[in-house]
């Protein structure tokens, strides 16, 4: 389907001054048809929690995180998913940069309006096969557009428009979510969910990631999320749909509370601990003081009590009947390991004691449980990989 056919089939409704979308795509043939068998592993909730989302616990994988379709990154081996399940986890979040599955020229940096409709089926098949590998081990997969038409929280391709300001971008956003919903329309809702866009925030120039960011006006976020939810639910009305918190994942979005859309928080506060010495966050990273927990961090005293205050709006959302999950959490490898574990233990305890599940960023890599390249960890050999056993034990205990 090309852009013209899509727009002809789309029904646009004005909501909050922006465009909405409705039914869009013709039949798409999936590699494998899946039945609506319930994934019992993913349907467990905590005690008496009011959380409308399952208490999923697991990891992010970054196979398709890079926007460049020619990026020669590694793919997650099947045995990784087996290990995740054997360790007692039931969830994989899969951030995807949509240019990865477009037909683009090699080294092309600027995306044009019509480029966003040029889907490369072979690359979609790669994503789909990875999803099926995870589901083979009863892991629920949450498909997330880390880079969506007109928006990404990080650097990469230059977008032709702004998702939160322009109708063309919103049309393309709906097109992609309708495509994915159609692709998995016969998959159990216990096996897959859709996380609309990673860490939305507003900046004047969508391509200038160094510019000052602010929260998106709630009415704008509502209209964009509602439009995408409509096209997804046109394929399966029972899908779990998740919207990341406003202002880069930090803030609850009360404007979405009545739309049966769950919300995703983050486990990165304070950044001075989670992203200690991260050069992509702090220009003066080399001069940051070594963090403590509890202790003074970035000129402010932090403790479990300050974390409880931070997560209070998210817990209130749960109590109001809104599904909540922590889609990303963890710590870069420069934070002292004992400080990381002390802080992270408080983060996870606050979340899980309120029925909120979590996903570590990442399974393997500098934030991960495997091959994190920390200098102060006595790793356990795990089939040739370096396993952070203390971190694994902490996560299993929650």
């Amino acid at each position: 389907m090309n852009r013209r056919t899509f727009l002809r089939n789309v029904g646009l409704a004005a909501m909050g001054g922006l465009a909405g979308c409705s039914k869009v795509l013709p039949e798409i043939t999936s590699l494998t048809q899946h039945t609506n068998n319930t994934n019992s592993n993913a349907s467990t909730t905590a005690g008496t929690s009011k959380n409308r989302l399952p208490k999923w616990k697991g990891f992010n994988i970054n196979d398709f995180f890079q926007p460049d379709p020619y990026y020669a990154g590694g793919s997650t081996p099947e045995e990784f998913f087996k290990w995740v399940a054997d360790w007692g986890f039931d969830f994989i979040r899969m951030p995807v940069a949509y240019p990865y599955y477009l037909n683009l020229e090699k080294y092309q940096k600027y995306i044009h309006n019509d480029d966003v409709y040029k889907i490369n089926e072979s690359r979609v098949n790669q994503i789909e096969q990875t999803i099926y590998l995870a589901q083979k081990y009863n892991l629920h997969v949450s498909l997330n557009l880390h880079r969506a038409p007109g928006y990404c929280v990080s650097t990469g391709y230059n977008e032709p428009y702004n998702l939160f300001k322009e109708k063309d971008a919103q049309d393309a956003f709906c097109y992609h979510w309708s495509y994915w919903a159609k692709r998995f329309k016969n998959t159990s809702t216990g096996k897959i969910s859709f996380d609309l866009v990673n860490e939305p925030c507003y900046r004047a120039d969508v391509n200038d990631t160094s510019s000052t960011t602010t929260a998106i006006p709630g009415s704008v976020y509502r209209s964009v999320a509602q439009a995408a939810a409509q096209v997804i639910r046109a394929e399966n009305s029972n899908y779990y749909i998740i919207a990341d918190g406003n202002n880069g994942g930090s803030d609850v979005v009360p404007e979405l509370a009545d739309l049966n859309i769950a919300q995703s928080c983050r486990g990165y506060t304070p950044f001075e601990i989670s992203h200690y010495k991260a050069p992509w966050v702090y220009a003066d990273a080399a001069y940051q003081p070594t963090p403590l927990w509890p202790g003074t961090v970035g000129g402010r005293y932090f403790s479990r009590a300050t974390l409880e205050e931070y997560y209070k709006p998210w817990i209130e959302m749960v109590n109001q009947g809104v599904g909540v999950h922590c889609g990303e959490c963890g710590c870069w490898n420069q934070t002292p390991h004992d400080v990381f574990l002390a802080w992270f233990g408080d983060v996870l305890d606050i979340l899980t004691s309120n029925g909120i599940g979590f996903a570590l960023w990442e399974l393997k890599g500098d934030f991960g449980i495997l091959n994190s390249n920390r200098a102060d960890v006595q790793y356990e050999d795990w089939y040739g990989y370096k396993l952070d056993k203390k971190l694994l034990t902490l996560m299993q205990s929650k």
Side-chain angles (χ1 to χ4, degrees):
M1 169 178 284
N2 60 29
R3 178 178 182 272
R4 182 174 297 171
T5 305
F6 168 76
L7 291 177
R8 186 185 66 224
N9 293 342
V10 131
L12 297 176
M15 294 181 296
L18 294 175
C21 311
S22 60
K23 300 179 76 172
V24 290
L25 284 174
E27 194 66 30
I28 294 173
T29 302
S30 179
L31 291 179
T32 309
Q33 294 299 316
H34 287 251
T35 61
N36 284 320
N37 295 328
T38 300
N39 178 355
S40 59
N41 207 27
S43 62
T44 303
T45 55
T48 58
S49 169
K50 297 179 181 179
N51 199 342
R52 296 184 65 183
L53 279 186
K55 190 181 173 182
W56 294 311
K57 296 190 292 184
F59 302 87
N60 284 259
I61 62 169
N62 56 13
D63 300 38
F64 312 106
F65 169 68
Q66 292 286 344
D68 186 354
Y70 300 94
Y71 170 72
S75 58
T76 299
E78 180 175 348
E79 59 263 31
F80 278 34
F81 298 124
K82 181 180 185 301
W83 298 341
V84 168
D86 289 346
W87 288 333
F89 300 100
D90 60 5
F91 181 82
I92 292 292
R93 183 173 181 264
M94 186 181 293
V96 174
Y98 84 98
Y100 180 87
Y101 59 88
L102 296 182
N103 282 311
L104 298 176
E105 298 295 330
K106 198 167 186 177
Y107 307 123
Q108 178 179 338
K109 296 299 291 181
Y110 288 86
I111 296 178
H112 305 289
N113 290 45
D114 287 340
D115 289 336
V116 301
Y117 295 92
K118 299 174 182 177
I119 291 180
N120 184 322
E121 289 289 330
S122 66
R123 295 195 177 275
V124 170
N125 290 344
Q126 293 175 19
I127 297 170
E128 185 180 55
Q129 288 288 26
T130 303
I131 291 171
Y132 291 162
L133 278 181
Q135 292 171 343
K136 177 180 176 180
Y137 296 95
N138 288 326
L139 302 175
H140 180 95
V141 177
S142 184
L143 180 65
N144 163 253
L145 286 186
H146 183 273
R147 176 175 290 273
Y151 179 77
C152 186
V153 73
S154 56
T155 57
Y157 282 86
N158 286 69
E159 296 292 330
Y161 34 41
N162 189 315
L163 175 60
F164 299 104
K165 297 181 72 174
E166 297 173 62
K167 186 174 77 65
D168 283 354
Q170 294 149 24
D171 290 343
F173 187 59
C174 288
Y175 178 90
H176 281 260
W177 275 122
S178 181
Y179 179 92
W180 286 113
K182 175 74 75 174
R183 191 95 183 182
F184 291 99
K185 68 181 298 180
N186 295 317
T187 299
S188 164
T189 56
K191 291 185 175 183
I192 195 163
S193 56
F194 299 119
D195 183 345
L196 298 178
V197 60
N198 185 70
E199 298 178 0
C201 60
Y202 178 75
R203 51 180 174 259
D205 182 350
V206 71
N207 296 305
D208 181 6
T209 56
S210 65
S211 60
T212 301
T213 61
T214 57
I216 297 160
S219 61
V220 174
Y221 196 175
R222 177 186 173 90
S223 67
V224 172
Q226 186 173 22
Q230 285 175 341
V231 300
I232 291 170
R233 289 189 171 128
E235 306 305 331
N236 187 328
S237 61
N238 295 318
Y239 276 137
Y240 288 117
I241 298 173
I242 301 170
D244 283 9
N246 206 340
N247 200 18
S250 298
D251 301 343
V252 298
V253 195
E255 292 84 0
L256 305 183
D258 66 329
L259 296 180
N260 192 25
I261 295 175
Q263 300 189 29
S264 179
C265 63
R266 292 293 179 265
Y268 292 137
T269 298
F271 256 50
E272 289 86 352
I273 285 182
S274 65
H275 289 69
Y276 173 60
K277 287 192 174 180
W280 67 92
V281 176
Y282 297 103
D284 59 346
Y287 303 100
Q288 283 186 273
T290 303
L292 301 172
W293 189 263
T296 300
V297 182
R300 177 184 172 192
Y301 183 81
F302 276 87
S303 65
R304 182 184 173 105
T306 53
L307 283 180
E308 288 174 340
E309 187 65 24
Y310 172 78
Y311 285 111
K312 185 180 293 185
W314 293 99
I315 296 167
E316 290 174 352
M317 273 285 166
V318 171
N319 292 333
Q320 293 171 22
V322 176
V324 174
H325 186 261
C326 182
E328 291 183 24
C329 56
C331 195
W332 198 44
N333 63 12
Q334 296 303 299
T335 302
H337 199 238
D338 58 341
V339 175
F340 165 39
L341 294 182
W343 162 78
F344 199 46
D346 281 342
V347 171
L348 294 187
D349 192 52
I350 292 168
L351 291 171
T352 59
S353 63
N354 288 282
I356 300 172
F358 62 87
L360 182 74
W361 184 280
E362 54 201 319
L363 178 55
K364 181 176 75 72
D366 290 346
F367 278 76
I369 201 166
L370 295 170
N371 291 9
S372 61
N373 299 307
R374 294 182 179 274
D376 57 349
V377 173
Q378 186 173 353
Y379 290 102
E380 178 178 309
D381 179 72
W382 187 265
Y383 301 97
Y385 297 93
K386 295 180 178 180
L387 172 65
D388 186 342
K389 187 62 178 293
K390 288 186 177 180
L391 176 56
L392 172 60
T393 300
L394 173 63
M395 293 175 62
Q396 288 173 322
S397 71
K398 302 301 179 182

